[in-house]
Coordinates of all heavy atoms in Angstrom, one line a residue:
E28 N -2.9 10.1 2.6 CA -2.4 11.0 1.5 C -1.0 11.3 1.9 O -0.7 11.8 3.0 CB -3.3 12.3 1.5 CG -4.7 12.0 1.0 CD -5.5 13.3 0.9 OE1 -5.0 14.4 1.3 OE2 -6.6 13.3 0.4
I29 N -0.1 11.0 1.0 CA 1.3 11.2 1.2 C 2.0 12.0 0.0 O 1.7 11.6 -1.1 CB 2.1 9.9 1.4 CG1 1.5 9.1 2.6 CG2 3.6 10.1 1.5 CD1 2.1 7.7 2.8
T30 N 2.7 13.0 0.4 CA 3.5 13.7 -0.7 C 5.0 13.6 -0.3 O 5.5 14.2 0.6 CB 3.1 15.2 -0.7 OG1 1.7 15.3 -0.9 CG2 3.9 15.9 -1.8
P31 N 5.7 12.6 -0.9 CA 7.1 12.3 -0.6 C 7.9 13.6 -0.8 O 7.7 14.4 -1.7 CB 7.5 11.2 -1.6 CG 6.2 10.6 -1.9 CD 5.2 11.7 -2.0
T32 N 8.9 13.7 0.1 CA 9.8 14.9 0.0 C 11.2 14.5 -0.2 O 12.1 15.3 -0.3 CB 9.7 15.7 1.3 OG1 10.0 14.9 2.4 CG2 8.3 16.3 1.5
G33 N 11.5 13.2 -0.2 CA 12.9 12.7 -0.4 C 13.0 11.4 -1.2 O 11.9 10.9 -1.6
A34 N 14.1 10.9 -1.3 CA 14.3 9.7 -2.0 C 13.8 8.4 -1.2 O 13.6 7.4 -1.8 CB 15.8 9.5 -2.4
V35 N 13.7 8.6 0.1 CA 13.3 7.5 1.0 C 12.0 7.9 1.7 O 11.9 9.0 2.3 CB 14.3 7.1 2.0 CG1 13.8 6.0 3.0 CG2 15.6 6.6 1.3
V36 N 11.0 7.0 1.6 CA 9.7 7.2 2.3 C 9.6 6.1 3.4 O 9.5 4.9 3.0 CB 8.5 7.2 1.4 CG1 7.2 7.5 2.2 CG2 8.7 8.3 0.3
T37 N 9.7 6.4 4.6 CA 9.6 5.4 5.7 C 8.2 5.4 6.3 O 7.7 6.4 6.8 CB 10.6 5.7 6.8 OG1 12.0 5.8 6.2 CG2 10.6 4.6 7.8
L38 N 7.6 4.2 6.3 CA 6.3 4.0 6.8 C 6.4 3.3 8.2 O 6.9 2.2 8.2 CB 5.4 3.2 5.9 CG 5.1 3.8 4.5 CD1 4.2 2.9 3.7 CD2 4.5 5.2 4.6
G39 N 6.0 3.9 9.3 CA 6.1 3.3 10.6 C 4.8 3.0 11.1 O 3.7 3.3 10.6
G40 N 4.8 2.3 12.2 CA 3.5 1.9 12.9 C 3.5 0.5 13.3 O 4.4 -0.3 12.9
K41 N 2.5 0.1 14.2 CA 2.5 -1.2 14.7 C 2.0 -2.2 13.7 O 1.5 -1.8 12.6 CB 1.5 -1.2 15.9 CG 1.9 -0.3 17.1 CD 0.8 -0.4 18.2 CE 1.2 0.5 19.4 NZ 0.2 0.4 20.4
N42 N 2.2 -3.5 14.0 CA 1.7 -4.5 13.1 C 0.2 -4.4 12.9 O -0.5 -4.3 13.9 CB 2.1 -5.9 13.6 CG 3.6 -6.1 13.5 OD1 4.3 -5.5 12.7 ND2 4.2 -7.0 14.4
G43 N -0.3 -4.5 11.7 CA -1.7 -4.4 11.5 C -2.2 -3.0 11.4 O -3.5 -2.8 11.2
A44 N -1.4 -2.0 11.4 CA -1.8 -0.6 11.4 C -2.2 -0.2 10.0 O -3.0 0.7 9.8 CB -0.8 0.3 12.0
G45 N -1.6 -0.9 9.0 CA -1.9 -0.5 7.6 C -0.7 -0.2 6.8 O -0.8 0.3 5.6
K46 N 0.5 -0.4 7.3 CA 1.8 0.0 6.5 C 1.8 -0.9 5.3 O 2.0 -0.3 4.2 CB 3.0 -0.3 7.4 CG 3.1 0.4 8.7 CD 4.4 0.2 9.4 CE 4.7 -1.3 9.7 NZ 3.7 -1.9 10.6
S47 N 1.7 -2.2 5.4 CA 1.7 -3.1 4.3 C 0.6 -2.7 3.3 O 0.8 -2.9 2.0 CB 1.6 -4.5 4.7 OG 2.7 -4.9 5.5
S48 N -0.5 -2.3 3.8 CA -1.7 -2.0 2.9 C -1.4 -0.9 2.0 O -1.8 -0.8 0.8 CB -2.9 -1.8 3.7 OG -3.4 -2.9 4.4
V49 N -0.6 0.1 2.5 CA -0.2 1.3 1.7 C 0.6 0.8 0.5 O 0.4 1.2 -0.6 CB 0.5 2.3 2.5 CG1 1.1 3.5 1.6 CG2 -0.4 2.9 3.6
L50 N 1.7 0.0 0.8 CA 2.5 -0.5 -0.3 C 1.7 -1.4 -1.2 O 1.9 -1.4 -2.5 CB 3.7 -1.3 0.3 CG 4.6 -0.5 1.2 CD1 5.8 -1.3 1.6 CD2 5.1 0.8 0.6
N51 N 0.9 -2.3 -0.7 CA 0.1 -3.2 -1.5 C -0.9 -2.4 -2.4 O -1.1 -2.8 -3.6 CB -0.7 -4.1 -0.7 CG 0.2 -5.2 0.0 OD1 1.3 -5.4 -0.4 ND2 -0.3 -5.7 1.1
A52 N -1.4 -1.2 -1.9 CA -2.3 -0.4 -2.7 C -1.5 0.2 -3.9 O -2.1 0.3 -5.0 CB -2.9 0.7 -1.8
I53 N -0.3 0.6 -3.7 CA 0.5 1.2 -4.8 C 0.7 0.0 -5.8 O 0.6 0.3 -7.0 CB 1.9 1.7 -4.3 CG1 1.7 2.8 -3.3 CG2 2.8 2.1 -5.4 CD1 3.0 3.3 -2.6
E54 N 1.1 -1.1 -5.3 CA 1.3 -2.3 -6.3 C 0.0 -2.6 -7.0 O 0.1 -2.9 -8.2 CB 1.8 -3.5 -5.5 CG 2.4 -4.6 -6.4 CD 3.2 -5.6 -5.7 OE1 3.4 -5.4 -4.5 OE2 3.6 -6.5 -6.3
L55 N -1.1 -2.6 -6.3 CA -2.4 -2.9 -7.0 C -2.7 -1.9 -8.1 O -3.1 -2.2 -9.2 CB -3.5 -2.9 -6.0 CG -3.7 -4.1 -5.1 CD1 -4.8 -3.9 -4.1 CD2 -4.0 -5.3 -6.0
A56 N -2.4 -0.6 -7.8 CA -2.7 0.4 -8.8 C -1.8 0.3 -10.0 O -2.2 0.5 -11.2 CB -2.4 1.8 -8.2
L57 N -0.5 0.0 -9.8 CA 0.4 -0.1 -11.0 C 0.6 -1.4 -11.6 O 0.6 -1.5 -12.9 CB 1.8 0.4 -10.5 CG 1.9 1.8 -9.9 CD1 3.3 2.1 -9.4 CD2 1.4 2.8 -10.9
A58 N 0.6 -2.5 -10.8 CA 0.8 -3.8 -11.4 C -0.4 -4.5 -11.8 O -0.3 -5.5 -12.6 CB 1.6 -4.7 -10.4
G59 N -1.6 -4.1 -11.4 CA -2.8 -4.8 -11.8 C -3.3 -5.7 -10.8 O -2.8 -5.8 -9.6
L60 N -4.2 -6.6 -11.2 CA -4.9 -7.4 -10.2 C -4.5 -8.9 -10.2 O -5.2 -9.7 -9.7 CB -6.4 -7.4 -10.6 CG -7.1 -6.0 -10.7 CD1 -8.5 -6.1 -11.0 CD2 -6.9 -5.3 -9.3
R61 N -3.3 -9.1 -10.7 CA -2.8 -10.5 -10.8 C -2.7 -11.1 -9.4 O -3.0 -12.3 -9.2 CB -1.4 -10.6 -11.5 CG -1.5 -10.5 -13.0 CD -0.2 -10.4 -13.6 NE 0.5 -9.1 -13.2 CZ 1.7 -8.8 -13.7 NH1 2.4 -9.6 -14.5 NH2 2.2 -7.6 -13.4
D62 N -2.3 -10.3 -8.4 CA -2.1 -10.8 -7.0 C -3.1 -10.1 -6.1 O -2.9 -10.1 -4.9 CB -0.7 -10.6 -6.6 CG 0.3 -11.4 -7.4 OD1 0.0 -12.5 -7.9 OD2 1.4 -10.9 -7.6
A63 N -4.2 -9.6 -6.6 CA -5.1 -8.8 -5.8 C -5.9 -9.8 -4.9 O -6.2 -10.9 -5.3 CB -6.1 -8.0 -6.7
P64 N -6.2 -9.4 -3.7 CA -7.1 -10.2 -2.8 C -8.5 -10.2 -3.4 O -8.9 -9.4 -4.2 CB -7.0 -9.5 -1.5 CG -6.7 -8.0 -1.8 CD -5.8 -8.1 -3.0
P65 N -9.3 -11.2 -3.0 CA -10.6 -11.3 -3.5 C -11.5 -10.0 -3.2 O -12.3 -9.6 -4.1 CB -11.2 -12.5 -2.8 CG -10.0 -13.3 -2.3 CD -9.0 -12.3 -2.1
V66 N -11.3 -9.4 -2.1 CA -12.0 -8.2 -1.7 C -11.0 -7.1 -1.4 O -10.6 -6.9 -0.2 CB -13.0 -8.4 -0.5 CG1 -13.8 -7.2 -0.3 CG2 -13.9 -9.6 -0.8
P67 N -10.6 -6.3 -2.3 CA -9.6 -5.2 -2.0 C -10.2 -4.0 -1.3 O -9.5 -3.2 -0.7 CB -9.1 -4.8 -3.4 CG -10.2 -5.2 -4.4 CD -10.9 -6.4 -3.8
V68 N -11.6 -3.8 -1.4 CA -12.2 -2.7 -0.7 C -12.2 -2.9 0.8 O -12.5 -4.0 1.3 CB -13.6 -2.5 -1.2 CG1 -14.3 -1.3 -0.5 CG2 -13.6 -2.3 -2.8
R69 N -11.9 -1.8 1.6 CA -11.9 -1.9 3.0 C -13.3 -2.4 3.5 O -14.3 -1.9 3.0 CB -11.5 -0.6 3.6 CG -11.3 -0.6 5.2 CD -10.8 0.7 5.7 NE -11.8 1.8 5.4 CZ -12.8 2.1 6.3 NH1 -12.9 1.4 7.4 NH2 -13.6 3.1 6.0

């Protein structure tokens, strides 16, 4: 759960921690399922 407070939201963490998944989740929600993985549920 993230409530942005500025114009830039920086996501940090190790590789595989889930940073890319957060961005991909936003894209899945807005852009639709054209590039969705076969199993989007964790």
Side-chain angles (χ1 to χ4, degrees):
E28 294 183 353
I29 299 174
T30 302
T32 58
V35 174
V36 180
T37 303
L38 301 180
K41 298 180 180 179
N42 292 334
K46 304 185 301 298
S47 297
S48 293
V49 173
L50 301 185
N51 291 338
I53 297 173
E54 191 166 358
L55 282 175
L57 300 180
L60 304 180
R61 284 174 292 184
D62 299 324
V66 184
V68 179
R69 185 175 64 88

